[in-house]
Amino acid sequence: MSEEDPKLAVVVKGWPRLSETFIAQELVALERAGHSFDIWSLRFPTDKKRHPLHEETRARVRYLPEYLHHEKARVVRGWTKARKMPGFKKAHQVWMQDLRRDLTRNRVRRFGQACVLAAELPAGTKGLYAHFLHTPSSVARYAALIRGIDWSFSAHAKDIWTSPDWEIREKLANDGTGAAFGVTCTGFGAAHLQQMAEPSDRVSLLYHGLDLDRFPLPPAQRPDDGVFRMLSVGRLVEKKGFDRLVKALSLLPGDLVWHWTHIGGGDLKDDLQAMAKAEDIDDRITWKGACDQPEVVEAMRSHDLFVLPSRIADDGDRDGLPNVLMEAASQKLAILSTPVSAIPEFITSGVHGLLVEDTPETLTFAIMDLARNPKQRTKYAEAAYDRLVADFGVDAGITQLSARLNTLIS
């Protein structure tokens, strides 16, 4: 091991990703706390833009074979080297047990990536830390078993609610194959995981928080051109509820002059744009696509209301505590959202903003109420900002995570 080789390796699904600023923020903060690590990504980047945070990390970024057949020689070398390691037999047994219950190409790919990871990790690597409890944690778990080192994870939203219980329980088992520890970013998610952990305190609540030093002070006043301007930031996927918001916008009364701007990509873009056109409101909507964080913050400073109509998708997927809510609060932008998952952990309805059911009619009524009550919007925005500053700074969480990672690699 050279002096430059870190003891810690961080496994992520993709790097960099515009929709995962919370990961970039955390990794930069960990470096500032004295940690050194390599980032191992299961996928190559697809976003054309990068956040400034992505440029700040000093970590080396390594990409595992996204598809095993794309790098056959590398996979064979990894498999050959991994098979000679003392922990390979145990890792293979665990993987075969998983494969019998999840007979998919993805499960095969996870083990192939794990063999490459185990083979290519620096000799002095002492611990793995995976972001997301599903695929990245599977790769980290298999690789850690092969190498005979500990692994840990940070869980978020989809990975908690769409993973089968058997897999979560085994990743949390205190049997030598489960994680040394886990953290998750919402009290709602923590309580769910702690019920399956052995012992329960191996999973901790760790809010991502927001590094306010990276954000400008809120604007002294907002532009007022007579148009009520709404903003949403989030992927165009089912759990974000934008289909119901589009319908809600179509129900707004004719005497309200409004405009809605959406930031983010996603598979439902064409469907939602067609829906807006069918409702004859497409001329009042701007679809900006994916934007970097400075562009998002600038938009937050020039709008009147932030709307995030999150809901539970048919497959159980749901938001955790979306960072964009804290980003909106940082610019004192009034918030309208829904009481899904951990959102009420930050926004108390009627105090820090409004949380309503995600039906189009309910959303329409709430939008109309807020549009016609600028003083109430200001009151909500001030309260959310104060809560953000008091309870959701990034430092406390990083201190806790740093201590646990130091134990992992000691």
Side-chain angles (χ1 to χ4, degrees), residues 314-359:
D314 288 343
D315 65 356
D317 191 12
R318 68 200 75 181
D319 276 327
L321 176 53
N323 260 38
V324 289
L325 294 177
M326 288 180 276
E327 292 172 2
S330 80
Q331 300 307 302
K332 292 188 179 179
L333 177 58
I335 294 169
L336 169 62
S337 191
T338 56
V340 169
S341 192
I343 292 174
E345 294 177 35
F346 178 56
I347 300 294
T348 300
S349 187
V351 178
H352 312 105
L354 274 185
L355 303 182
V356 302
E357 297 304 315
D358 66 345
T359 65

Side-chain angles (χ1 to χ4, degrees), residues 234-267:
R235 291 179 298 125
L236 295 169
V237 294
E238 183 185 2
K239 71 177 179 179
K240 297 295 184 180
F242 291 128
D243 55 336
R244 297 182 183 179
L245 179 56
V246 170
K247 181 61 178 178
L249 295 175
S250 74
L251 300 176
L252 289 171
D255 62 345
L256 178 64
V257 182
W258 60 271
H259 192 90
W260 178 53
T261 297
H262 176 270
I263 293 176
D267 295 339

Side-chain angles (χ1 to χ4, degrees), residues 146-274:
I146 293 171
R147 288 290 296 260
I149 59 178
D150 287 332
W151 71 280
S152 57
F153 67 85
S154 179
H156 302 289
K158 179 178 182 179
D159 50 327
I160 298 174
W161 305 110
T162 63
S163 296
D165 284 354
W166 65 262
E167 185 166 11
I168 293 178
R169 290 185 187 280
E170 291 177 13
K171 286 176 177 175
L172 295 175
N174 190 20
D175 64 354
T177 71
F181 74 86
V183 297
T184 189
C185 53
T186 69
F188 187 69
H192 180 72
L193 294 178
Q194 286 166 352
Q195 292 177 351
M196 293 186 276
E198 302 175 6
S200 62
D201 62 3
R202 289 173 58 244
V203 177
S204 300
L205 169 62
L206 194 157
Y207 288 118
H208 295 305
L210 208 64
D211 185 352
L212 289 172
D213 291 340
R214 300 181 179 279
F215 291 80
L217 292 174
Q221 61 183 32
R222 298 181 182 278
D224 184 4
D225 58 0
V227 179
F228 182 62
R229 297 192 178 275
M230 294 168 281
L231 174 69
S232 297
V233 181
R235 291 179 298 125
L236 295 169
V237 294
E238 183 185 2
K239 71 177 179 179
K240 297 295 184 180
F242 291 128
D243 55 336
R244 297 182 183 179
L245 179 56
V246 170
K247 181 61 178 178
L249 295 175
S250 74
L251 300 176
L252 289 171
D255 62 345
L256 178 64
V257 182
W258 60 271
H259 192 90
W260 178 53
T261 297
H262 176 270
I263 293 176
D267 295 339
L268 297 181
K269 181 178 180 179
D270 291 343
D271 291 342
L272 291 175
Q273 287 183 339

